[in-house]
DNA sequence: TGTACCCAGGTTTTT
DNA sequence: CCTGGGTACA
């Protein structure tokens, strides 16, 4: 069927030549190398609109995949504005969302129960812990986090327990054993974790010829956002879905690949041109976000990376101001600098919203927060627990889950004694043991176990079972929101948190109320199931929603406030004024990423940070910083040296500072005053150019040690007599040495 | 069952 | 230094 097409000309009228080339490309594979701020989303949405308008492609033939719900929602909304045909039936979503959708439709073929539930990361960890207990493995020897990470990594490689041979070392055999038991437990409970969603969907489309043919026939065009973030499994799935005839339109930026530690493989971008025949590259290099100075800083820095696809950002909107660098005495001084500058910007007419403070580690926010609070500057921290991840919310959801799935052990264990009802760990242990021996759920064990197993606690357990049963009966006819309301009351959760004291408890009660209103608005938004989608009950839909879209991090985003976040969290955002703080070796690049292999990704992270700024970019480092309780002598980040000197100026204090004045805790009276920025030809301070350490030793310098041989200086720590130096030796590994004792010679 | 203390450990995080 | 998790007691 040909849809009524409309005039496609206005679609591309406002695009620049590179954007137009991408949008109007013939129906063939394309890799769009989209620099930061080059109109990536614009190209993606216009490409979809172009396909519909000019190529007469039905929206039903298009699959658009993103990584975050936010990006998916934005894409759909913007496409909707561009085309005048209905696109409701078009598949736009996250990898996980799309996988989930397929699994719901083909749950039989995927060998899942119709009402399967989704485990989030926290649920998964709890389940791993339980599995370890069942296998009698001590969790200090088998750290649950490590185990969960390993399992997820296997799933990302599409590896199932049965793919491992019996050989392999002891550790691996144990891992496989745990993986097996974990899978079995998931199967019994009818739950899937995040990685499993993708793996099942991949296996489904790989192994079921009919389903594979169906989707290949259907999705003629597959568009993928943030392609540099695809993991192995996602890439293979895309290839399977595309088959020989599907047309891939991938958009991404290899220079912004910062999630390799999470499985993302930037190499997939490089592989596209060979795996997808005829795939041509289109570069978007014109930047519409930042000033020329900021772009030069970014270009110069990222040029040091190897194995790039290569691109150079440019703008025609002027140079702007150079990047302003501040050498703080310590982290308090740094925070004060940030706060003062924010005040100046606000006085000059900026909103708080216009400024973002970016840091490498979440732990850096505390000192900044204190300074902001002291100055009564409103701020918001991105990151941290999201709504549906909060303890009280997960408690309530666990009760809801139990109403529908008594065999959901994860939920059972979570709330069987919340609020406390006399079912302690010993009792739960007995239940677990009984359930394990009989291959049953905890619920079944609780019902059958009886007095013989549970002794005195049996009555309490029976009460709990009766509570769940009676809540289920009472809420059978009720709407989702009424059910939720009832469950929060009847379970005793509200009383439980009512009795707790403190601000925290108050917030928890508010969150429980918020949950009720969330269910209320969710009810109103429920739409009839799309094409062939089985009608799911509202509760399952809501639980899915909760797992797949964990919600906003913090309430009140409407308020005008300074934005604090990690560099990772800043990806995809932009701000007129950006502060990058903590530009110190060991902090950024992070200590655990200072070796060659990982440095490029840190540099990309720095590149991401720089390219967030529209007009004004500040960078700062502290000469001393307290980290893990000890004061460290800091060395400026090498990234500062790697930024071309002519686009950076140092802000110099007008008055000299008496260093002793900056004793810990004493920062109030010692505020520095700032002169006007030095002219841009001001040379960088000595410290930056040479990165001199103490005693004539420099960071990164090759040195010789009498016993350990040759090595490279990684960092300095401590003061005076107690100063230590970390050296990575060729043969002897990395060591901390007392500088006064080590007698290091330049090599 | 709840709390007080001890100890280890301490990037980055979406789904 | 600060946090979270685990253990030891009241």
């Amino acid at each position: 069927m040909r849809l009524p097409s409309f005039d496609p000309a206005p679609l591309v009228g406002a695009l620049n030549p590179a954007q137009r080339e991408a949008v109007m490309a013939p129906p063939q594979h394309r890799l769009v190398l989209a620099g930061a701020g080059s109109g990536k989303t614009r190209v993606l949405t216009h490409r979809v609109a172009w396909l519909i308008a000019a190529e007469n492609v039905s929206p039903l033939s298009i699959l658009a995949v993103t990584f975050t719900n936010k990006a998916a929602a934005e894409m759909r909304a913007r496409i909707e504005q561009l085309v005048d045909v209905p696109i409701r039936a078009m598949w736009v979503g996250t990898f996980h969302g799309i996988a989930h959708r397929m699994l719901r439709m083909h749950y039989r073929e995927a060998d899942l129960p119709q009402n399967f539930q989704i485990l989030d990361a926290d649920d998964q960890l709890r389940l791993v812990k339980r599995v370890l207990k069942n296998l009698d493995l001590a969790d200090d020897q088998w750290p649950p986090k490590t185990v969960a990470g390993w399992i997820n990594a296997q799933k990302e490689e599409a590896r199932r327990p049965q793919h491992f041979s019996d050989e392999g070392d002891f550790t691996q055999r144990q891992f496989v054993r745990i993986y097996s038991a974990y899978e079995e437990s998931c199967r019994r409970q009818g739950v899937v974790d995040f990685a499993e969603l993708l793996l099942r969907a991949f296996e489904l489309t790989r192994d079921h010829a009919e389903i594979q043919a169906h989707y290949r026939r259907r999705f003629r065009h597959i568009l993928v956002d943030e392609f540099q973030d695809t993991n192995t499994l996602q890439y293979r799935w895309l290839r399977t879905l595309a088959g020989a005839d599907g047309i891939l339109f991938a958009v991404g930026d290899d220079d912004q690949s910062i999630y390799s530690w999470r499985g993302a493989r930037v190499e997939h971008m490089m592989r596209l041109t060979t795996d997808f025949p005829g795939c041509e590259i289109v570069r978007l290099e014109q930047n519409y976000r930042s000033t020329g100075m900021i772009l030069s800083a970014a270009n110069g820095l990222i040029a040091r990376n190897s194995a790039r696809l290569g691109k150079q950002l440019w703008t025609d909107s002027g140079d702007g101001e150079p990047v302003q660098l501040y050498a703080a005495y310590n982290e308090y001084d740094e925070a004060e600098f940030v706060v003062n500058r924010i005040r100046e910007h606000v006085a000059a007419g900026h909103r708080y919203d216009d400024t973002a403070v970016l840091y490498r580690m979440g732990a850096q926010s505390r000192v900044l927060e204190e300074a902001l609070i002291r100055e009564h500057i409103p701020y918001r921290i991105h990151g941290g627990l999201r709504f549906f991840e909060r303890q009280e919310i997960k408690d309530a959801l666990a009760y809801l889950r139990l109403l529908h799935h008594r065999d959901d052990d994860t939920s059972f264990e979570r709330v069987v004694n919340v609020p406390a009802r006399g079912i302690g760990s010993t009792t739960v242990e007995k239940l677990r043991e009984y359930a394990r021996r009989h291959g049953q759920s905890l619920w079944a064990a609780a019902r059958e176990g009886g007095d013989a197993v549970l002794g005195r606690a049996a009555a309490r357990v029976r009460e709990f079972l009766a509570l769940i049963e009676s809540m289920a009966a009472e809420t059978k006819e009720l709407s989702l929101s009424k059910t939720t309301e009832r469950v929060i009351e009847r379970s005793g959760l509200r009383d439980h948190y009512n009795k707790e004291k403190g601000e925290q408890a108050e917030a928890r009660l508010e969150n429980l109320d918020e949950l009720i209103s969330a269910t209320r608005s969710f009810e109103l938004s429920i739409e009839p199931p799309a094409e062939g989608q089985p009608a799911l009950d509202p509760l399952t839909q809501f639980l899915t929603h909760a797992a797949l879209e964990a919600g906003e991090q913090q309430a009140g985003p409407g308020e005008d406030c300074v934005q604090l976040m990690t560099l990772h969290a800043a990806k995809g955002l932009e701000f007129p004024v950006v502060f990058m703080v903590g530009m110190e070796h060991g902090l950024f690049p992070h200590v655990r990423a200072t070796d060659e292999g990982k440095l490029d990704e840190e540099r990309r992270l720095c590149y991401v940070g720089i390219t967030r700024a529209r007009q004004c970019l500040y960078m700062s480092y502290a000469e001393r910083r307290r980290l893990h309780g000890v004061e460290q002598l800091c060395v400026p980040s090498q990234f500062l040296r790697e930024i071309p000197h002519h686009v950076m100026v140092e802000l110099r204090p007008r008055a000299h500072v008496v260093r002793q004045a900056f004793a810990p805790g004493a920062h109030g009276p010692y505020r520095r005053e700032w002169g006007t920025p030095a002219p841009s030809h001001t040379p960088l301070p000595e410290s930056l150019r040479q990165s001199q350490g103490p005693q004539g030793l420099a960071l990164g310098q090759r040195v010789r040690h009498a016993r350990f041989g040759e090595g490279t200086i990684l960092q300095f720590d401590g003061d005076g007599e107690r100063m230590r130096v970390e050296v990575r030796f060729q043969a002897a590994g990395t060591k901390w040495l007392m500088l006064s004792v080590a007698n290091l010679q330049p090599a």
Side-chain angles (χ1 to χ4, degrees):
Chain A
M1 179 190 75
R2 286 172 78 86
L3 282 156
S5 68
F6 52 94
D7 182 11
L11 256 183
V12 293
L15 302 178
N16 71 36
Q19 291 174 335
R20 202 172 302 164
E21 189 193 338
V23 167
M24 299 171 67
Q28 292 160 7
H29 304 307
R30 281 291 181 277
L31 168 60
V32 179
L33 206 49
S38 65
K40 173 190 71 142
T41 311
R42 196 151 190 244
V43 163
L44 213 37
T45 52
H46 280 68
R47 172 66 173 176
V48 171
W50 175 264
L51 290 174
I52 294 171
E55 302 281 349
N56 270 311
V57 174
S58 158
L60 291 174
S61 302
I62 295 172
L63 170 65
V65 195
T66 64
F67 278 85
T68 65
N69 292 300
K70 194 177 155 206
E74 188 188 346
M75 196 186 309
R76 182 180 284 282
R78 285 174 64 170
I79 295 170
E80 224 147 36
Q81 287 174 357
L82 290 176
V83 301
D84 57 7
V85 295
I87 58 158
R88 277 206 32 212
M90 189 168 90
W91 282 36
V92 181
T94 63
F95 276 101
H96 291 83
I98 305 270
H100 170 257
R101 187 169 179 174
M102 285 189 182
L103 293 179
R104 288 284 181 212
M105 286 172 79
H106 311 287
Y107 67 92
R108 283 189 206 85
E109 295 87 341
D111 196 23
L112 286 170
Q114 182 168 14
N115 287 325
F116 70 87
Q117 301 288 315
I118 300 167
L119 295 185
D120 69 13
D122 180 61
D123 297 330
Q124 182 188 37
L125 195 64
R126 285 161 181 269
L127 180 51
V128 166
K129 283 181 186 162
R130 216 174 62 232
V131 167
L132 288 171
K133 270 221 171 89
N134 279 345
L135 293 176
D136 263 326
L137 294 172
D139 52 6
D140 50 346
Q141 235 179 320
W142 305 94
K145 276 215 178 83
T146 310
V147 172
W150 187 86
I151 291 175
N152 289 337
Q154 302 319 304
K155 292 188 179 188
E156 268 166 28
E157 297 291 332
R159 238 177 267 133
R160 294 294 192 185
Q162 60 268 24
H163 294 145
F164 291 86
S165 67
D166 285 345
E167 287 122 53
D169 59 34
F170 174 74
T171 310
Q172 190 184 65
R173 288 206 314 272
Q174 288 292 3
F175 270 137
V176 174
R177 201 172 140 232
I178 301 166
Y179 184 11
S180 255
Y182 171 81
E183 265 202 336
E184 174 55 20
S185 181
C186 285
R187 197 197 53 76
R188 257 208 323 266
Q189 296 182 66
V191 296
V192 294
D193 59 43
F194 286 134
E196 185 73 23
L197 281 173
L198 296 180
L199 179 49
R200 287 273 172 149
F202 168 66
E203 290 170 341
L204 180 75
T205 40
R206 182 192 60 189
D207 302 340
H208 290 262
E210 267 176 46
I211 291 174
Q212 181 184 84
H214 168 77
Y215 284 109
R216 285 186 177 175
R217 219 178 302 119
R218 168 156 180 182
F219 295 129
R220 314 300 301 185
H221 291 270
I222 300 175
L223 297 93
V224 189
D225 193 15
E226 304 277 18
F227 200 82
Q228 76 281 356
D229 286 339
T230 48
N231 68 29
T232 315
L233 189 50
Q234 288 160 340
Y235 186 73
R236 290 174 69 181
W237 190 36
L238 287 173
R239 278 175 56 184
T240 306
L241 280 175
D245 299 326
I247 297 162
L248 185 72
F249 191 86
V251 181
D253 182 357
D254 53 332
D255 291 333
Q256 292 189 68
S257 163
I258 55 174
Y259 284 114
S260 73
W261 49 276
R262 207 166 80 177
R265 292 285 166 263
V266 65
E267 298 81 28
H268 293 149
M269 291 188 82
M270 290 73 171
R271 277 183 62 180
L272 274 189
T273 45
T274 47
D275 285 354
F276 290 80
C279 180
E280 282 176 25
I281 297 181
V282 182
R283 284 183 168 73
L284 305 182
E285 299 175 292
Q286 182 173 4
N287 174 290
Y288 296 95
R289 178 186 296 160
S290 311
T291 64
M293 291 275 198
I294 290 169
L295 293 182
S296 296
N299 283 331
L301 177 83
I302 204 66
R304 301 191 175 241
N305 272 9
S306 46
R308 298 174 61 215
L309 285 165
K311 94 186 106 48
Q312 183 93 352
L313 297 177
W314 60 276
T315 179
D316 60 9
S317 62
D319 284 348
E321 297 298 315
V323 179
Q324 302 180 58
L325 173 68
Y326 177 61
Y329 177 67
N330 60 18
E331 69 266 38
Y332 297 101
D333 184 31
E334 179 180 61
E336 206 143 313
F337 164 74
V338 170
V339 161
N340 287 335
R341 285 286 149 150
I342 290 173
R343 269 210 311 247
E344 285 169 27
H345 279 285
V346 169
H350 272 294
R351 290 164 51 86
Y352 289 120
D353 271 341
D354 290 343
T355 56
V357 187
L358 311 182
Y359 36 79
R360 177 67 236 268
M361 282 194 302
Q364 287 171 258
S365 73
R366 222 194 68 240
V367 176
L368 292 161
E369 285 183 74
E370 286 165 5
L372 288 161
I373 290 170
R374 206 163 43 232
E375 302 291 329
H376 307 291
I377 295 176
Y379 68 91
R380 184 168 96 105
I381 294 195
H382 293 243
L385 278 193
R386 324 245 295 282
F387 184 73
F388 286 112
E389 293 167 353
R390 288 160 203 270
Q391 177 189 306
E392 63 278 12
I393 300 304
K394 296 214 66 175
D395 288 345
L397 294 182
Y399 275 108
L400 287 171
R401 274 161 68 156
L402 272 186
L403 293 192
H404 268 217
H405 311 276
R406 304 286 198 280
D407 294 341
D408 186 333
D409 290 354
T410 312
S411 298
F412 183 98
E413 210 165 313
R414 181 174 185 105
V415 293
V416 67
N417 202 32
V418 176
R421 45 173 75 91
I423 305 176
S425 53
T426 325
T427 309
V428 175
E429 194 56 51
K430 283 178 188 159
L431 283 174
R432 219 184 265 139
E433 172 59 20
Y434 187 93
R436 196 187 55 76
R437 263 192 292 121
H438 293 78
Q440 288 176 323
S441 66
L442 292 171
W443 178 269
R447 273 177 44 152
E448 292 177 15
D451 296 5
V453 180
L454 300 171
R456 270 188 299 128
R460 299 288 170 77
V461 172
R462 269 198 300 276
E463 275 167 41
F464 176 70
L465 300 184
L467 172 68
I468 299 294
E469 292 292 6
S470 81
M471 281 197 296
E474 276 171 41
T475 57
K476 200 155 199 155
E477 306 295 322
L478 295 183
S479 68
L480 170 62
S481 60
K482 290 283 173 209
T483 302
T484 308
E485 199 169 354
R486 185 71 65 89
V487 163
I488 290 174
E489 303 301 333
R490 287 273 280 117
S491 64
L493 272 184
R494 186 182 295 282
D495 281 347
H496 175 65
Y497 286 115
N498 234 334
K499 271 186 235 145
E500 241 178 51
K501 44 197 182 327
E503 253 175 74
Q504 173 102 327
E506 216 164 287
R508 294 205 153 130
L509 286 173
E510 277 169 27
N511 285 335
L512 287 176
D513 285 330
E514 183 58 35
L515 177 65
I516 296 168
S517 55
T519 54
R520 220 174 274 134
S521 45
F522 187 81
E523 278 168 348
L524 297 175
S525 71
I526 291 180
E527 291 172 4
E531 35 144 349
Q533 188 88 302
L536 287 171
D537 57 286
L539 178 56
T540 298
Q541 283 189 58
F542 183 70
L543 292 171
T544 299
H545 166 78
L548 248 32
E549 304 188 36
E552 278 297 310
Q553 281 129 348
Q554 238 157 62
E559 211 191 332
D560 176 31
C561 49
V562 173
Q563 314 287 310
L564 267 61
M565 68 194 84
T566 62
L567 286 153
H568 282 90
K571 199 180 99 179
L573 306 177
E574 59 174 52
F575 308 90
V577 181
V578 168
F579 294 85
M580 290 173 69
V581 299
M583 300 293 299
E584 295 135 40
H585 186 83
L587 190 57
F588 190 34
H590 193 269
V591 220
R592 296 168 68 167
T594 45
D595 54 286
E596 245 344 284
K598 290 180 174 169
L599 198 60
D600 278 10
E601 182 150 315
E602 293 288 299
R603 197 177 281 111
R604 291 194 288 266
L605 189 56
C606 188
Y607 176 81
V608 166
I610 294 172
T611 52
R612 299 310 95 197
R614 289 162 64 99
Q615 300 155 19
C616 207
L617 175 61
Y618 294 97
M619 292 190 170
S620 60
Y621 67 91
E623 287 163 5
R624 295 154 183 253
R625 180 183 299 272
R626 202 182 196 118
L627 217 59
H628 309 320
V630 282
E631 179 115 321
Q632 308 239 18
L633 266 198
C634 304
V635 177
S637 169
Q638 67 187 89
F639 298 151
L640 293 172
R641 272 174 284 137
E642 294 171 358
I643 293 171
H645 294 182
H646 67 278
V647 297
M648 191 182 266
V649 293
E650 200 203 9
L651 298 173
R652 294 167 189 282
R654 188 183 290 153
H656 271 293
V657 175
V658 181
R659 299 213 152 179
Q660 272 70 17
F662 281 85
H667 31 270
Y670 308 107
R671 188 165 298 153
R672 294 183 185 183
E673 288 181 33
W674 314 112
T676 48
S680 56
H681 53 75
T682 304
L684 278 186
E686 192 71 10
S687 61
L688 276 189
R689 271 183 291 150
Q690 306 220 342
S691 183
Q692 280 287 329
Q695 294 188 13
L697 294 174
L699 195 77
Q701 185 178 327
R702 302 282 297 165
V703 289
R704 174 178 297 283
H705 183 271
R707 199 143 57 86
F708 300 133
E710 274 196 31
T712 311
I713 295 189
L714 297 181
Q715 60 178 332
F716 299 99
D717 173 44
D719 252 318
E721 276 299 290
R722 298 179 47 217
M723 183 171 298
R724 303 187 306 148
V725 58
E726 189 182 28
V727 184
R728 190 175 59 231
F729 291 105
Q730 267 161 6
T734 303
K735 299 205 180 305
W736 278 101
L737 307 165
M738 292 296 290
L739 201 53
S740 49
V741 185
N743 188 24
L744 294 174
Q745 302 298 327

